[in-house]
């Protein structure tokens, strides 16, 4: 549970759900699998199998729901932080700009 020290505007929900990430940058557009670690009303934390993704990169995130009671999620977002997790993966924080 988040405490007062977190000082966020919205609570984060831990999800640990596989998702599809489409990265659109100056060089190309590519799609990869990622793991959504948590989500809030305005952003997400994603673990990706890339050593790093540049801050400011535009991404599309799609999370398929396994329940008929919970809709799938599709969003456009911007990378606002990138922290190395290992030599081949990183955790990115994205700010949601538009829900599809």
């Amino acid at each position: 549970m988040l405490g007062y020290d977190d000082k966020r505007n919205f609570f984060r929900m831990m999800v640990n759900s596989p998702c599809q990430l489409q990265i659109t940058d100056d060089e190309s557009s590519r799609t990869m699998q990622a793991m959504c670690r948590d989500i809030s009303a305005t952003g997400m934390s994603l673990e990706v199998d890339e050593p790093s993704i540049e801050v400011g990169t535009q991404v599309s995130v799609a999370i398929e729901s396994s329940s008929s009671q919970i809709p799938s999620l599709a969003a456009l977002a911007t990378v606002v932080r990138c922290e190395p997790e290992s030599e081949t993966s990183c955790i990115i924080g994205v700010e949601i700009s538009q829900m599809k």
Side-chain angles (χ1 to χ4, degrees):
M1 190 68 170
L2 298 176
Y4 177 75
D5 292 337
D6 200 14
K7 295 184 179 140
R8 294 180 178 268
N9 291 329
F10 298 97
F11 288 106
R12 288 182 290 178
M13 181 173 66
M14 303 304 184
V15 290
N16 290 321
S17 178
C19 62
Q20 186 171 350
L21 184 69
Q22 181 176 1
I23 299 173
T24 306
D25 56 22
D26 294 336
E27 300 166 9
S28 65
S29 178
R30 60 195 187 279
T31 302
M32 68 180 68
Q33 294 298 310
M35 183 64 70
C36 180
R37 295 295 179 198
D38 62 58
I39 188 168
S40 76
T42 59
M44 297 181 231
S45 176
L46 307 165
E47 182 176 349
V48 296
D49 290 332
E50 295 264 323
S52 71
I53 295 177
E54 188 174 334
V55 170
T57 300
Q58 299 294 307
V59 297
S60 266
V61 182
I63 302 175
E64 294 297 321
S65 174
S66 58
S67 169
S68 61
Q69 297 175 342
I70 301 172
S72 297
L73 179 139
L76 297 176
T78 303
V79 176
V80 294
R81 70 177 163 77
C82 179
E83 300 170 354
E85 183 71 6
S86 69
E87 289 183 20
T88 59
S89 68
C90 64
I91 304 283
I92 60 171
V94 300
E95 181 179 14
I96 297 171
S97 55
Q98 179 183 358
M99 297 295 279
K100 294 182 182 178

